[in-house]
Amino acid sequence: MKNIYSKILVLAIGSLMVSCAGNPYAPTNRAHKKQTNALSKELKVLPPPAPGTSAMFKYADNWVGTTNFNLRRPNLVVIHHTAQDSVGQTLKTFTLERTQVSSHYVIGKNGEIYHMLNDLYRAWHGGSGQWGSNTDINSASIGIELDNNGFDEFSPVQIASLLELLEDLKTKYKIPAANFIGHSDIAPTRKNDPNRTFPWKLLAKKGYGLWYDESITAIVKPLEDSSFSSQVATTELHTILNDSANVTTIEVAKEAILDVSPAVALKIIGYDVTDLPAAIKAFKLHFIQTEVDSTLTDYDLKVLNNLYKKYL
Ligand SMILES: [Zn+2]
């Protein structure tokens, strides 16, 4: 009996210590609040700071503020893996000023969601990158980090939480399906997240991201395909593609499957094709996944040909 009472006492003291300690992030939360106050002050400056002072600008004598406006909204969602070992490590990274990185949301392996920044503020998750002609991804997007070491599969509860969050964001900000992408999509030369186990196909099925019509690839996908005509077609293509001395022939062969060049198709989807091999690799990380390299097989070309038309 005495033993039970001593256990209760230990528990009581323990919980008292936890409540006394409070939120370990209280100091960084104060810094966060200070920063939001500073930004609010910036927004309140009236008349707004002039974009230029050159003689070319002919400003009217009176400032006239419109009465019709609200805050700008995000129109893109970029999904990441943290490449760290725990949520705690990521929360720490995003609250240390010297790291200069952050995201709006962090989702743990247990499905717990940390909302670290109001969606209407600009987080620093994208870095240098491009999607279509948009070169300021951070200004347009919401960043979501998934706790993952960069290699493991994503847990079902983590993906379930992500899907709930995406539904909320999509509805709230009317984000088009095509605008749910990965970090590697916007920065193919620098990034490889989320990793190849990420369920892009499932997301697309739910309306977050686009996917190709799998029936289109069926005739070339497997070498195990026993159809005589498709095997002939594949063999002929390989023969032509292996003729590395004749670049024109390769282009013709690719265009036999692809209606435009690979660079044009990838560009239409949104990829920065300045470094074409990197763009192909990013495309394969997102849409092929079974192999991630910079070679476009006839199967990949089929996928690409079907996919780019969905982005037109
Ligand atoms: Zn990332």
Side-chain angles (χ1 to χ4, degrees):
M1 200 63 180
K2 195 183 167 194
N3 203 12
I4 289 173
Y5 283 123
S6 64
K7 270 186 186 167
I8 291 170
L9 188 65
V10 167
L11 280 173
I13 291 169
S15 59
L16 192 66
M17 282 170 71
V18 168
S19 67
C20 285
N23 183 349
Y25 286 99
T28 50
N29 284 350
R30 278 195 290 277
H32 181 108
K33 196 173 175 186
K34 204 174 153 194
Q35 205 163 332
T36 59
N37 286 339
L39 289 172
S40 303
K41 267 187 200 160
E42 201 177 313
L43 288 174
K44 282 180 185 167
V45 174
L46 295 176
T53 51
S54 120
M56 296 292 288
F57 288 93
K58 190 175 181 302
Y59 288 107
D61 291 339
N62 294 323
W63 176 68
V64 183
T66 178
T67 53
N68 312 318
F69 62 102
N70 59 5
L71 291 169
R72 291 170 192 246
R73 290 166 173 222
N75 196 240
L76 198 65
V77 170
V78 180
I79 297 168
H80 305 252
H81 67 215
T82 59
Q84 292 192 315
D85 296 325
S86 67
V87 161
Q89 199 182 347
T90 303
L91 297 180
K92 191 171 180 193
T93 303
F94 290 174
T95 48
L96 286 173
E97 208 177 316
R98 63 178 154 81
T99 65
Q100 296 286 288
V101 288
S102 61
S103 73
H104 295 89
Y105 298 90
V106 178
I107 306 181
K109 289 189 182 79
N110 64 359
E112 205 162 49
I113 301 173
Y114 291 87
H115 191 181
M116 298 191 76
L117 184 66
N118 187 314
D119 300 343
L120 304 181
Y121 284 119
R122 184 176 184 272
W124 300 341
H125 62 96
S128 166
Q130 185 170 350
W131 189 244
S133 57
N134 188 344
T135 54
D136 185 0
I137 303 297
N138 284 342
S139 284
S141 66
I142 297 277
I144 302 175
E145 290 275 359
L146 302 173
D147 177 30
N148 181 288
N149 62 8
F151 303 99
D152 290 351
E153 287 189 22
F154 299 86
S155 74
V157 283
Q158 189 176 33
I159 297 299
S161 285
L162 173 67
L163 289 172
E164 276 178 31
L165 176 58
L166 294 181
E167 187 185 351
D168 187 48
L169 295 173
K170 188 179 183 183
T171 311
K172 206 186 287 176
Y173 304 123
K174 299 184 173 60
I175 301 173
N179 288 4
F180 291 80
I181 52 175
H183 199 185
S184 57
D185 294 318
I186 63 154
T189 56
R190 298 187 301 113
K191 295 292 172 180
N192 63 355
D193 60 311
N195 77 43
R196 62 199 287 172
T197 70
F198 187 73
W200 283 115
K201 183 179 161 184
L202 171 72
L203 260 71
K205 218 188 243 179
K206 306 268 184 192
Y208 317 117
L210 299 184
W211 202 249
Y212 53 95
D213 300 317
E214 295 194 334
S215 57
I216 294 290
T217 60
I219 59 161
V220 288
K221 182 177 183 178
L223 284 171
E224 61 259 26
D225 186 343
S226 59
S227 150
F228 175 73
S229 59
S230 78
Q231 275 199 351
V232 169
T234 307
T235 310
E236 280 175 358
L237 186 71
H238 280 145
T239 310
I240 302 167
L241 287 175
N242 287 334
D243 179 8
S244 57
N246 192 338
V247 177
T248 315
T249 316
I250 292 171
E251 284 306 311
V252 169
K254 282 186 173 176
E255 284 177 20
I257 291 179
L258 201 54
D259 300 328
V260 293
S261 74
V264 169
L266 290 165
K267 184 77 192 161
I268 289 170
I269 292 173
Y271 289 101
D272 173 8
V273 295
T274 315
D275 183 335
L276 186 57
I280 291 171
K281 209 169 169 186
F283 158 75
K284 292 185 73 163
L285 177 62
H286 188 134
F287 295 102
I288 306 295
Q289 296 190 322
T290 46
E291 52 170 28
V292 180
D293 53 32
S294 52
T295 307
L296 283 171
T297 65
D298 41 359
Y299 173 75
D300 303 338
L301 290 167
K302 279 269 179 188
V303 171
L304 187 55
N305 194 52
N306 181 258
L307 195 62
Y308 90 84
K309 291 170 188 165
K310 296 181 185 292
Y311 287 82
L312 286 171

